[in-house]
Structures are given as structure tokens and as C-alpha cells.
Coordinates of all heavy atoms in Angstrom, one line a residue:
M1149 N -18.2 -65.9 18.0 CA -16.9 -66.6 18.1 C -15.7 -65.5 18.1 O -15.3 -64.8 17.1 CB -16.5 -67.4 16.8 CG -15.7 -68.5 17.1 SD -15.6 -70.0 15.8 CE -16.1 -69.3 14.2
T1150 N -15.4 -65.2 19.4 CA -14.2 -64.2 19.5 C -12.9 -64.7 19.2 O -12.2 -64.1 18.4 CB -14.3 -63.6 20.9 OG1 -14.5 -64.7 21.9 CG2 -15.5 -62.7 21.2
Q1151 N -12.6 -65.9 19.7 CA -11.3 -66.4 19.4 C -11.5 -67.8 18.6 O -11.8 -68.9 19.2 CB -10.5 -66.8 20.8 CG -9.7 -65.7 21.3 CD -8.4 -65.6 20.5 OE1 -8.3 -65.2 19.4 NE2 -7.2 -66.0 21.3
P1152 N -11.4 -67.7 17.3 CA -11.6 -68.9 16.5 C -10.7 -70.1 17.0 O -9.5 -69.9 17.2 CB -11.4 -68.6 15.1 CG -11.3 -67.1 15.1 CD -11.0 -66.5 16.4
D1153 N -11.2 -71.2 17.0 CA -10.4 -72.4 17.3 C -9.3 -72.6 16.3 O -9.6 -72.4 15.1 CB -11.3 -73.7 17.4 CG -11.1 -74.5 18.5 OD1 -9.9 -74.4 19.1 OD2 -11.8 -75.6 18.7
Y1154 N -8.2 -73.3 16.7 CA -7.2 -73.5 15.7 C -6.5 -74.8 16.0 O -6.6 -75.4 17.1 CB -6.2 -72.4 15.5 CG -5.3 -72.2 16.7 CD1 -4.1 -72.8 16.9 CD2 -5.7 -71.2 17.6 CE1 -3.4 -72.7 18.0 CE2 -5.0 -70.9 18.8 CZ -3.8 -71.8 19.0 OH -3.1 -71.6 20.1
L1155 N -5.9 -75.4 15.0 CA -5.2 -76.7 15.1 C -3.9 -76.5 14.9 O -3.4 -75.7 14.2 CB -5.8 -77.6 14.2 CG -7.1 -78.0 14.0 CD1 -7.3 -79.1 12.9 CD2 -7.7 -78.6 15.3
V1156 N -3.0 -77.3 15.6 CA -1.5 -77.5 15.4 C -1.3 -78.7 14.8 O -1.6 -79.7 15.3 CB -0.7 -77.1 16.5 CG1 0.8 -77.3 16.1 CG2 -0.9 -75.8 17.1
I1157 N -0.8 -78.8 13.5 CA -0.6 -80.1 12.8 C 0.8 -80.3 12.5 O 1.5 -79.5 12.0 CB -1.3 -80.1 11.5 CG1 -2.9 -79.9 11.6 CG2 -1.2 -81.5 10.8 CD1 -3.4 -78.9 10.8
K1158 N 1.3 -81.5 13.1 CA 2.8 -81.8 12.8 C 2.9 -83.1 12.1 O 2.4 -84.1 12.5 CB 3.5 -81.9 14.2 CG 5.0 -82.3 14.0 CD 5.8 -82.2 15.4 CE 7.3 -82.4 15.1 NZ 8.0 -82.4 16.3
A1159 N 3.5 -82.9 10.9 CA 3.7 -84.1 10.0 C 4.7 -85.1 10.5 O 5.8 -84.6 10.9 CB 4.1 -83.6 8.6
K1160 N 4.3 -86.3 10.6 CA 5.1 -87.4 11.0 C 6.1 -88.0 9.9 O 7.0 -88.7 10.0 CB 4.5 -88.4 11.7 CG 3.9 -87.8 13.1 CD 5.2 -87.8 14.0 CE 4.9 -87.0 15.3 NZ 6.1 -86.8 16.1
K1161 N 5.4 -87.9 8.7 CA 6.0 -88.4 7.3 C 5.9 -87.3 6.3 O 5.1 -86.3 6.5 CB 5.3 -89.6 6.9 CG 5.3 -90.8 7.9 CD 5.7 -92.0 7.2 CE 5.9 -93.3 8.2 NZ 4.7 -94.2 8.1
D1162 N 6.5 -87.5 5.2 CA 6.5 -86.6 4.0 C 5.1 -86.7 3.4 O 4.6 -87.8 3.5 CB 7.5 -86.9 3.1 CG 9.0 -86.5 3.5 OD1 9.1 -85.8 4.5 OD2 10.0 -87.0 2.8
G1163 N 4.7 -85.6 2.9 CA 3.4 -85.8 2.0 C 2.1 -85.8 2.8 O 1.1 -86.3 2.4
V1164 N 2.1 -85.3 4.0 CA 0.8 -85.1 4.8 C 0.0 -83.9 4.2 O 0.5 -82.9 3.9 CB 1.2 -84.9 6.3 CG1 -0.2 -84.5 7.0 CG2 1.7 -86.1 6.9
N1165 N -1.3 -84.3 3.9 CA -2.2 -83.3 3.3 C -3.0 -82.7 4.3 O -3.6 -83.5 5.1 CB -3.0 -83.9 2.2 CG -2.3 -83.9 0.9 OD1 -1.8 -83.0 0.4 ND2 -2.0 -85.1 0.5
V1166 N -3.1 -81.3 4.4 CA -4.2 -80.7 5.3 C -5.0 -79.9 4.4 O -4.7 -79.2 3.4 CB -3.4 -79.5 6.1 CG1 -4.4 -78.8 7.0 CG2 -2.2 -80.2 6.9
I1167 N -6.4 -80.4 4.5 CA -7.4 -79.9 3.5 C -8.4 -79.1 4.3 O -9.0 -79.6 5.3 CB -7.9 -81.2 2.9 CG1 -6.8 -82.1 2.2 CG2 -9.0 -80.8 1.9 CD1 -7.2 -83.6 1.9
G1168 N -8.7 -77.9 3.8 CA -9.6 -77.1 4.4 C -11.0 -77.3 3.6 O -11.1 -77.4 2.4
L1169 N -12.0 -77.4 4.3 CA -13.3 -77.7 3.9 C -14.3 -76.5 4.2 O -14.2 -75.9 5.2 CB -14.0 -79.0 4.4 CG -13.2 -80.2 4.0 CD1 -13.3 -81.2 5.2 CD2 -13.7 -80.8 2.8
T1170 N -15.0 -76.1 3.1 CA -15.8 -74.9 3.1 C -17.0 -74.9 4.1 O -17.6 -75.9 4.4 CB -16.4 -74.6 1.7 OG1 -17.2 -75.6 1.3 CG2 -15.3 -74.3 0.8
R1171 N -17.2 -73.7 4.7 CA -18.5 -73.5 5.5 C -19.6 -73.2 4.6 O -19.4 -72.7 3.6 CB -18.2 -72.4 6.3 CG -19.2 -72.2 7.6 CD -18.7 -71.1 8.5 NE -17.5 -71.2 9.2 CZ -17.5 -72.1 10.3 NH1 -18.5 -72.7 10.9 NH2 -16.3 -72.2 11.0
G1172 N -20.9 -73.6 5.1 CA -22.0 -73.2 4.2 C -22.8 -74.5 3.8 O -22.6 -75.6 4.4
N1173 N -23.6 -74.3 2.7 CA -24.5 -75.5 2.3 C -23.8 -76.6 1.7 O -24.2 -77.7 1.9 CB -25.6 -74.8 1.3 CG -26.5 -74.0 2.1 OD1 -26.8 -74.2 3.2 ND2 -27.2 -73.2 1.3
D1174 N -22.6 -76.2 1.0 CA -22.0 -77.4 0.5 C -20.6 -77.5 1.0 O -20.0 -76.4 1.5 CB -21.9 -77.5 -1.1 CG -21.6 -76.2 -1.7 OD1 -20.8 -75.5 -1.2 OD2 -22.1 -75.9 -2.7
T1175 N -20.0 -78.7 1.3 CA -18.8 -78.9 2.0 C -17.8 -79.4 0.8 O -17.8 -80.5 0.4 CB -18.9 -80.0 3.0 OG1 -20.1 -79.5 3.9 CG2 -17.7 -80.1 3.9
K1176 N -16.9 -78.5 0.4 CA -16.0 -78.7 -0.6 C -14.5 -78.4 -0.1 O -14.4 -77.6 0.8 CB -16.3 -77.9 -1.8 CG -17.7 -78.3 -2.5 CD -17.7 -77.5 -3.7 CE -18.9 -77.8 -4.6 NZ -19.5 -76.7 -5.4
F1177 N -13.6 -79.0 -0.8 CA -12.2 -78.7 -0.5 C -12.0 -77.3 -1.1 O -12.3 -76.9 -2.2 CB -11.2 -79.6 -1.3 CG -11.2 -81.0 -0.8 CD1 -12.1 -81.5 0.2 CD2 -10.2 -81.8 -1.3 CE1 -12.1 -82.7 0.6 CE2 -10.2 -83.1 -0.9 CZ -11.0 -83.6 0.1
H1178 N -11.5 -76.3 -0.2 CA -11.0 -75.1 -0.9 C -9.5 -74.8 -0.7 O -9.0 -73.9 -1.3 CB -11.7 -73.9 -0.1 CG -11.4 -73.7 1.2 ND1 -10.1 -73.2 1.6 CD2 -12.0 -73.9 2.6 CE1 -10.0 -73.1 2.9 NE2 -11.3 -73.5 3.4
H1179 N -8.8 -75.7 0.0 CA -7.4 -75.4 0.1 C -6.7 -76.8 0.5 O -7.1 -77.5 1.3 CB -7.1 -74.4 1.2 CG -5.6 -74.0 1.4 ND1 -5.3 -72.8 1.0 CD2 -4.5 -74.6 1.7 CE1 -3.9 -72.6 1.2 NE2 -3.5 -73.8 1.7
T1180 N -5.6 -77.0 0.0 CA -4.8 -78.2 0.3 C -3.4 -77.9 0.5 O -2.8 -77.1 -0.2 CB -4.8 -79.4 -0.9 OG1 -6.1 -79.6 -1.2 CG2 -4.0 -80.6 -0.5
E1181 N -2.9 -78.2 1.6 CA -1.5 -78.0 2.0 C -0.7 -79.2 2.3 O -1.3 -80.2 2.8 CB -1.6 -77.1 3.3 CG -0.3 -76.4 3.5 CD 0.0 -75.1 2.6 OE1 -1.1 -74.4 2.2 OE2 1.2 -74.9 2.2
K1182 N 0.5 -79.3 1.5 CA 1.3 -80.5 1.8 C 2.3 -80.2 2.7 O 3.1 -79.3 2.7 CB 1.7 -81.0 0.5 CG 2.0 -82.5 0.4 CD 2.2 -82.9 -1.0 CE 1.4 -84.2 -1.2 NZ 1.2 -84.6 -2.7
L1183 N 2.5 -81.1 3.9 CA 3.6 -81.0 4.8 C 4.5 -82.1 4.7 O 4.1 -83.2 4.5 CB 3.0 -81.0 6.2 CG 1.9 -79.9 6.5 CD1 1.6 -80.0 8.1 CD2 2.4 -78.5 6.4
D1184 N 5.8 -81.8 4.8 CA 6.7 -82.8 4.9 C 7.2 -83.1 6.4 O 6.8 -82.3 7.3 CB 8.1 -82.5 4.1 CG 7.9 -82.6 2.7 OD1 7.0 -83.4 2.2 OD2 8.6 -82.0 1.8
R1185 N 7.8 -84.3 6.6 CA 8.1 -84.6 8.0 C 8.7 -83.6 8.8 O 9.7 -83.0 8.4 CB 9.1 -85.8 7.8 CG 9.4 -86.5 9.1 CD 10.6 -87.5 9.0 NE 11.3 -87.7 10.2 CZ 10.9 -88.6 11.1 NH1 9.9 -89.5 10.8 NH2 11.6 -88.7 12.2
G1186 N 8.3 -83.3 9.9 CA 8.7 -82.4 10.9 C 8.1 -80.9 10.6 O 8.3 -80.1 11.5
E1187 N 7.4 -80.8 9.5 CA 6.8 -79.4 9.3 C 5.5 -79.3 10.2 O 4.8 -80.3 10.4 CB 6.4 -79.2 7.8 CG 7.6 -79.0 6.9 CD 7.4 -78.7 5.5 OE1 6.5 -79.3 5.0 OE2 7.9 -77.7 5.0
V1188 N 5.3 -78.0 10.5 CA 4.0 -77.7 11.3 C 3.2 -76.7 10.8 O 3.7 -75.8 10.1 CB 4.6 -77.2 12.8 CG1 3.5 -76.7 13.6 CG2 5.4 -78.3 13.5
M1189 N 2.0 -76.9 10.8 CA 1.0 -75.9 10.3 C 0.0 -75.6 11.3 O -0.4 -76.4 12.1 CB 0.2 -76.5 9.1 CG -0.8 -75.5 8.4 SD -1.3 -76.1 6.9 CE -2.4 -74.8 6.7
I1190 N -0.3 -74.3 11.6 CA -1.2 -73.7 12.5 C -2.3 -73.3 11.6 O -2.1 -72.4 10.9 CB -0.6 -72.7 13.4 CG1 0.7 -73.4 14.1 CG2 -1.5 -72.2 14.4 CD1 1.6 -72.2 14.6
A1191 N -3.6 -73.9 11.8 CA -4.6 -73.5 10.9 C -5.8 -73.2 11.8 O -6.1 -73.9 12.8 CB -5.0 -74.7 10.0
Q1192 N -6.5 -72.2 11.4 CA -7.8 -71.8 12.2 C -9.0 -72.1 11.4 O -9.1 -72.3 10.2 CB -7.8 -70.2 12.3 CG -7.0 -69.7 13.6 CD -7.1 -68.3 13.6 OE1 -6.8 -67.5 12.7 NE2 -7.5 -67.8 14.7
F1193 N -10.0 -72.3 12.2 CA -11.5 -72.4 11.8 C -11.9 -70.9 11.4 O -11.8 -70.2 12.3 CB -12.4 -73.1 12.6 CG -12.0 -74.6 12.8 CD1 -11.3 -75.1 13.8 CD2 -12.4 -75.5 11.8 CE1 -10.9 -76.4 13.9 CE2 -12.1 -76.9 11.9 CZ -11.3 -77.3 13.0
T1194 N -12.3 -70.6 10.2 CA -12.6 -69.2 9.9 C -14.0 -69.2 9.3 O -14.7 -70.2 9.2 CB -11.7 -68.7 8.8 OG1 -11.8 -69.5 7.6 CG2 -10.2 -68.9 9.3
E1195 N -14.3 -68.0 8.9 CA -15.7 -67.9 8.0 C -15.6 -68.8 6.8 O -16.7 -69.2 6.4 CB -15.5 -66.3 7.5 CG -16.5 -65.8 7.0 CD -16.2 -64.4 6.4 OE1 -15.1 -63.7 6.8 OE2 -17.0 -64.1 5.4
H1196 N -14.6 -69.1 6.3 CA -14.5 -70.0 5.1 C -14.2 -71.4 5.4 O -14.6 -72.3 4.6 CB -13.3 -69.5 4.2 CG -13.3 -68.1 3.8 ND1 -14.4 -67.4 3.1 CD2 -12.6 -67.1 4.2 CE1 -14.1 -66.1 2.9 NE2 -13.0 -65.9 3.8
T1197 N -13.6 -71.7 6.6 CA -13.3 -73.0 6.8 C -14.1 -73.7 8.1 O -14.0 -73.1 9.1 CB -11.7 -73.2 7.2 OG1 -11.1 -72.6 6.1 CG2 -11.3 -74.6 7.4
S1198 N -14.9 -74.7 7.8 CA -15.7 -75.2 9.0 C -15.2 -76.6 9.4 O -15.5 -77.1 10.5 CB -17.1 -75.3 8.5 OG -17.2 -76.5 7.5
A1199 N -14.3 -77.3 8.5 CA -13.7 -78.6 8.7 C -12.3 -78.8 8.2 O -12.0 -78.0 7.1 CB -14.7 -79.7 8.3
I1200 N -11.6 -79.5 8.8 CA -10.2 -79.7 8.4 C -9.9 -81.1 8.4 O -10.2 -81.8 9.4 CB -9.1 -78.8 9.3 CG1 -9.4 -77.4 9.3 CG2 -7.7 -79.2 8.8 CD1 -8.6 -76.7 10.2
K1201 N -9.5 -81.6 7.1 CA -9.3 -83.1 7.0 C -7.8 -83.3 6.8 O -7.1 -82.5 6.1 CB -9.9 -83.6 5.7 CG -9.5 -84.9 5.3 CD -10.5 -85.4 4.2 CE -10.1 -86.7 3.7 NZ -11.1 -87.3 2.8
I1202 N -7.1 -84.2 7.6 CA -5.8 -84.5 7.5 C -5.7 -86.0 7.0 O -6.2 -86.9 7.4 CB -5.2 -84.6 9.0 CG1 -5.8 -83.4 9.9 CG2 -3.6 -84.6 8.9 CD1 -5.1 -82.1 9.6
R1203 N -4.8 -86.0 5.8 CA -4.4 -87.3 5.4 C -2.9 -87.7 5.5 O -2.2 -86.7 5.0 CB -4.9 -87.1 3.7 CG -4.9 -88.5 3.1 CD -5.4 -88.2 1.7 NE -6.8 -88.4 1.5 CZ -7.5 -87.9 0.5 NH1 -6.9 -87.2 -0.4 NH2 -8.8 -88.1 0.5
G1204 N -2.7 -88.8 6.0 CA -1.3 -89.1 6.3 C -1.0 -89.1 7.8 O -1.9 -88.8 8.6
E1205 N 0.2 -89.4 8.0 CA 0.6 -89.6 9.6 C 1.0 -88.3 10.1 O 2.0 -87.7 9.7 CB 1.8 -90.6 9.6 CG 1.8 -91.2 10.9 CD 2.9 -92.3 11.0 OE1 3.0 -93.1 10.1 OE2 3.6 -92.2 12.1
A1206 N 0.2 -87.8 11.1 CA 0.5 -86.5 11.7 C 0.0 -86.6 13.2 O -0.7 -87.4 13.6 CB -0.2 -85.5 10.9
E1207 N 0.5 -85.6 14.0 CA 0.0 -85.3 15.3 C -0.9 -84.1 15.2 O -0.3 -83.0 14.7 CB 1.3 -85.1 16.0 CG 1.2 -85.6 17.5 CD 2.7 -85.5 18.0 OE1 3.1 -84.3 18.2 OE2 3.3 -86.4 18.4
I1208 N -2.1 -84.1 15.7 CA -2.9 -83.0 15.7 C -3.3 -82.6 17.0 O -3.7 -83.2 17.9 CB -4.3 -83.5 14.9 CG1 -3.9 -84.0 13.5 CG2 -5.3 -82.3 14.8 CD1 -4.7 -85.0 13.0
H1209 N -2.8 -81.4 17.3 CA -3.1 -80.7 18.7 C -4.3 -79.9 18.6 O -4.3 -78.9 17.9 CB -1.8 -80.0 19.1 CG -0.6 -80.8 19.2 ND1 0.0 -81.1 20.4 CD2 0.1 -81.4 18.2 CE1 1.0 -81.9 20.3 NE2 1.1 -82.1 19.0
T1210 N -5.2 -80.2 19.4 CA -6.5 -79.4 19.4 C -6.8 -78.9 20.9 O -6.2 -79.4 21.8 CB -7.8 -80.2 18.9 OG1 -8.0 -81.2 20.0 CG2 -7.4 -80.9 17.6
A1211 N -7.8 -78.1 21.0 CA -8.2 -77.7 22.3 C -8.7 -78.8 23.1 O -8.8 -78.9 24.4 CB -9.3 -76.6 22.1
H1212 N -9.1 -79.9 22.4 CA -9.7 -80.9 23.1 C -8.7 -82.0 23.3 O -9.0 -83.1 23.9 CB -10.8 -81.6 22.2 CG -11.8 -80.5 21.8 ND1 -12.7 -80.0 22.6 CD2 -11.8 -79.9 20.6 CE1 -13.3 -79.0 22.0 NE2 -12.7 -79.0 20.8
G1213 N -7.5 -81.9 23.0 CA -6.3 -83.0 23.3 C -5.6 -83.2 21.9 O -5.7 -82.3 20.9
I1214 N -4.8 -84.2 22.0 CA -3.9 -84.7 20.9 C -4.4 -85.8 20.3 O -4.7 -86.9 21.0 CB -2.4 -84.8 21.4 CG1 -2.0 -83.5 22.2 CG2 -1.5 -85.1 20.2 CD1 -0.7 -83.6 22.9
V1215 N -4.5 -85.9 18.9 CA -4.9 -87.1 18.2 C -3.9 -87.3 17.1 O -3.1 -86.4 16.7 CB -6.3 -87.1 17.6 CG1 -7.2 -87.3 18.6 CG2 -6.4 -85.8 16.9
S1216 N -3.6 -88.7 16.8 CA -2.8 -89.0 15.8 C -3.6 -89.6 14.6 O -4.4 -90.4 14.7 CB -1.8 -90.0 16.1 OG -1.0 -89.6 17.3
S1217 N -3.1 -89.1 13.4 CA -3.7 -89.7 12.1 C -2.7 -90.6 11.7 O -1.6 -90.4 12.0 CB -4.1 -88.6 11.2 OG -2.8 -87.8 10.9
E1218 N -3.3 -91.7 11.0 CA -2.4 -92.8 10.4 C -2.5 -92.9 9.1 O -3.4 -92.3 8.5 CB -2.8 -94.0 11.2 CG -2.3 -94.1 12.7 CD -3.3 -95.0 13.5 OE1 -3.9 -96.0 13.0 OE2 -3.5 -94.7 14.6
E1219 N -1.6 -93.4 8.6 CA -1.5 -93.7 7.1 C -2.3 -94.9 6.7 O -2.3 -96.0 7.6 CB 0.0 -93.9 6.6 CG 0.2 -93.3 5.3 CD 1.7 -93.2 5.2 OE1 2.5 -93.7 5.9 OE2 2.1 -92.5 4.2
K1220 N -2.9 -94.8 5.7 CA -3.7 -96.1 5.1 C -2.6 -97.1 4.9 O -1.7 -96.9 4.2 CB -4.4 -95.6 3.8 CG -5.6 -96.5 3.5 CD -6.3 -95.8 2.3 CE -6.7 -96.8 1.4 NZ -7.2 -96.2 0.1
E1221 N -3.1 -98.4 5.2 CA -2.1 -99.5 5.0 C -2.2 -100.0 3.5 O -3.1 -99.9 3.0 CB -2.5 -100.7 5.9 CG -2.9 -100.4 7.3 CD -1.8 -100.5 8.2 OE1 -1.3 -101.6 8.3 OE2 -1.5 -99.7 9.0
Ligands
LIG98 N1 -8.2 -68.8 3.5 C1 -8.4 -70.0 4.3 C2 -9.7 -69.4 5.2 O1 -9.5 -68.5 5.9 C3 -7.2 -70.4 5.1 C4 -7.5 -71.3 6.0 C5 -7.9 -71.4 7.3 C6 -7.1 -72.8 5.8 N2 -7.9 -72.5 7.9 C7 -7.6 -73.5 7.1 C8 -6.7 -73.7 4.8 C9 -7.3 -74.8 7.2 C10 -6.5 -75.0 5.1 C11 -7.0 -75.7 6.2 O2 -10.7 -70.2 5.2

């Protein structure tokens, strides 16, 4: 992996959570970042992070396109 993939996450509401999940045998939360409306986070997949979970309403820009996460009703 020469250029690790990364995501751009833009919060659409206050209190969006960006959660990093560990690489390896067990998949656990290792980092939680809270974003407020309008805030942007640029996060990479790294040696430590194999998956990223987004909770709340956000726009997620990836190499594969743009997806929107929604809030639970
Ligand atoms: N120290 C973390 C790591 O390298 C930082 C990180 C990278 C992160 N990608 C993330 C934290 C995605 C939360 C979400 O693994």
C-alpha cells in the first residue's frame, strides 16, 4: 500500500461520530472523534485502522464516490 486510502467526512449536523476500528484479529474501537455541523475530518486507513464507522448525518467522500450517512429516526 503506497498511498493509503483516505476519507473526507463532512458533518451535516452537530455530534457526528467518526470511529476508527482496529486492524488485526479483533475489531475494536480505538478512536472516536466528534464533529459538529460543517466540520470536516480527513482520515486515513493505516496500520492501526482497517475500518471507519460514521454515526450521524454526514457526507462521506471516498475514492469510490460520495455516500451520505443518515441519522437514526
Ligand atoms: N492513530 C490513528 C491511526 O493511525 C489515527 C487514525 C487514522 C484514525 N485513521 C483514523 C482515527 C480514522 C479515527 C478514524 O490508526
Side-chain angles (χ1 to χ4, degrees):
M1149 206 169 21
T1150 45
Q1151 270 281 70
D1153 215 356
Y1154 65 89
L1155 302 181
V1156 178
I1157 302 133
K1158 181 174 185 177
K1160 290 288 172 192
K1161 296 228 174 105
D1162 287 351
V1164 168
N1165 278 298
V1166 179
I1167 302 158
L1169 297 146
T1170 55
R1171 189 177 296 282
N1173 288 334
D1174 45 35
T1175 306
K1176 289 186 179 157
F1177 290 10
H1178 71 69
H1179 187 108
T1180 306
E1181 198 70 42
K1182 210 164 218 164
L1183 302 182
D1184 283 335
R1185 187 189 156 89
E1187 286 186 322
V1188 169
M1189 181 167 172
I1190 302 162
Q1192 273 180 310
F1193 290 99
T1194 67
E1195 187 191 341
H1196 307 290
T1197 306
S1198 69
I1200 300 171
K1201 173 171 170 170
I1202 318 284
R1203 192 178 266 158
E1205 204 178 313
E1207 216 171 63
I1208 304 148
H1209 298 249
T1210 75
H1212 314 282
I1214 304 170
V1215 281
S1216 296
S1217 57
E1218 284 150 35
E1219 215 159 13
K1220 202 172 138 190
E1221 322 257 303

